[in-house]
Amino acid sequence: VSGGLQAWIARGKESPFELTEVELDTLQPNEVRVEVTATGVCHMDLEGKDIVPLPAVFGHEGVGRILEIGADVTTVQPGDRVIMSYAACGHCGSCAADAPYHCEDSWDITFSGLRADGSHTMREHDKPVSAAFFQQSSFAQEAITPARGLVPVDSNIDDTLLAALPCGVLTGAGVIACQFGFRGGEDLAVFGVGAVGLSAVMAAKRLGARSILAVDVKPTRLALAEELGATHTINPAQEADSVARIQELFPKGLPYVVDTSGNSTAFNSATRILKTGGRMAVCILPQPMETFSFQPFEWFTRAATLEAVSFGNAEASSFLPQLIDWYDQGLFPVDRLVTVYPFSDLNVAVEAAMAGEAIKPVLDLRAS
Ligand SMILES: [Zn+2]
Ligand SMILES: [Zn+2]
């Protein structure tokens, strides 16, 4: 048992996170204990409050140094610097086929607040609390996580930038590189240029896109999208008819559209700008009861494909090193998305993200 650790706990759906003291369970043979040095903050850490039984410790983009390994762990050693990536069971059909992003148990092991065997990894004042969020719960000074989800790092890139990568950035870059298999020389539109959309823009530029159209209602985000590779921008709040404007720019339509907006107007606009045989990938978790009306005719006449994206179809142990390599070469400037806060400022970081002031907030645990 590892005790006296600071962690941010969520007790209510509307209330801010509270700093508390927790203890970690002893390690199971396949697990490691990580000293968390940095962790990303993602909107799933807020949406998780509606899914995971509370009280719960969230955080799912942890980076750190391994303190202890379980008896069966052979892939990493104490002292190794690692990213904790998304959770996968390791033995279902998808995991066995090297497609952990489609793990059949993904929902439960991500959101149950428990290990896969139903046990708790964390206690607060001797009472078990939900943790094991994405099988890590990195809003704490230390985390227990299965060794299979770890990605070792041997770059000089700062921990706060590594912590920006494993969820939204992996998804946005992965949809281009892994899901679409983008080969360059092609056109792409991205609806919504937050962390996921901007990562799609950067990956498309890296892979040699011909045109990259960014669509967003926030002028500052469109300006950043342009700096990161967008060749065209449209602000629907400033256009009488943004679809007509896009059709003027791309009369034959676009072969690839990425939707990160989660908005039905954007969804229907995106539909109408696809070219024949085009593909549209939806990258954001919809509200469970949400319904959109749409025109099947628009899809049929284009023979278009609508795809949901799970972690960008990216296998983290190979794709995260690829993104780090791109960053090291100056070809994937993820630092432009990141705002760093001390660990003590989680609620400040959340507010800045909600207000659209911080694109990718990251907590630095070394600073507190
Ligand atoms: Zn699995
Ligand atoms: Zn996330």
Side-chain angles (χ1 to χ4, degrees), residues 68-340:
E68 184 189 357
I69 62 173
D72 293 349
V73 173
T74 56
T75 49
V76 287
Q77 293 294 325
D80 285 0
R81 194 170 162 231
V82 291
I83 305 175
M84 293 180 260
S85 72
Y86 61 82
C89 79
H91 48 73
C92 71
S94 297
C95 285
D98 287 330
Y101 40 86
H102 288 158
C103 175
E104 293 161 22
D105 291 327
S106 173
W107 189 267
D108 281 348
I109 61 176
T110 299
F111 297 116
S112 65
L114 305 165
R115 287 187 178 102
D117 69 3
S119 63
H120 285 90
T121 56
M122 197 181 275
R123 302 171 80 80
E124 182 196 34
H125 312 308
D126 279 334
K127 275 203 185 132
V129 293
S130 290
F133 186 58
F134 284 63
Q135 296 295 306
Q136 55 176 285
S137 288
S138 57
F139 288 169
Q141 289 176 311
E142 294 181 12
I144 287 180
T145 195
R148 87 173 65 83
L150 296 172
V151 181
V153 180
D154 65 357
S155 157
N156 290 325
I157 180 172
D158 193 75
D159 287 5
T160 53
L161 298 185
L162 292 176
L165 300 176
C167 182
V169 171
L170 174 99
T171 299
V175 67
I176 304 298
C178 308
Q179 184 148 349
F180 286 158
F182 200 79
R183 287 189 305 275
E186 297 167 307
D187 301 328
L188 171 89
V190 181
F191 280 67
V193 279
V196 177
L198 289 168
S199 301
V201 168
M202 292 192 293
K205 174 170 181 179
R206 167 68 187 91
L207 294 171
R210 184 170 60 180
S211 302
I212 303 171
L213 167 68
V215 182
D216 202 297
V217 292
K218 290 201 176 78
T220 52
R221 291 196 174 192
L222 289 177
L224 182 55
E226 256 178 332
E227 288 175 40
L228 296 176
T231 56
H232 302 70
T233 59
I234 297 270
N235 184 339
Q238 294 172 358
E239 296 281 342
D241 185 345
S242 51
V243 171
R245 181 81 189 95
I246 297 169
Q247 286 167 340
E248 246 172 70
L249 292 168
F250 300 93
K252 299 211 150 134
L254 292 127
Y256 297 107
V257 173
V258 174
D259 179 31
T260 76
S261 70
N263 161 310
S264 80
T265 309
F267 180 90
N268 279 302
S269 300
T271 300
R272 292 169 55 206
I273 62 159
L274 280 170
K275 71 183 279 188
T276 307
R279 295 168 69 180
M280 179 163 112
V282 175
C283 288
I284 201 157
L285 180 72
Q287 297 298 316
M289 303 309 283
E290 198 169 14
T291 48
F292 282 7
S293 58
F294 73 101
Q295 291 174 282
F297 179 81
E298 299 284 354
W299 286 95
F300 189 85
T301 53
R302 290 173 173 78
T305 305
L306 172 63
E307 328 179 17
V309 180
S310 179
F311 301 110
N313 269 32
E315 203 276 299
S317 66
S318 57
F319 195 58
L320 287 176
Q322 164 101 82
L323 292 181
I324 294 165
D325 199 43
W326 288 357
Y327 172 81
D328 285 340
Q329 294 174 49
L331 300 171
F332 192 78
V334 69
D335 54 299
R336 300 293 308 279
L337 315 188
V338 172
T339 309
V340 179

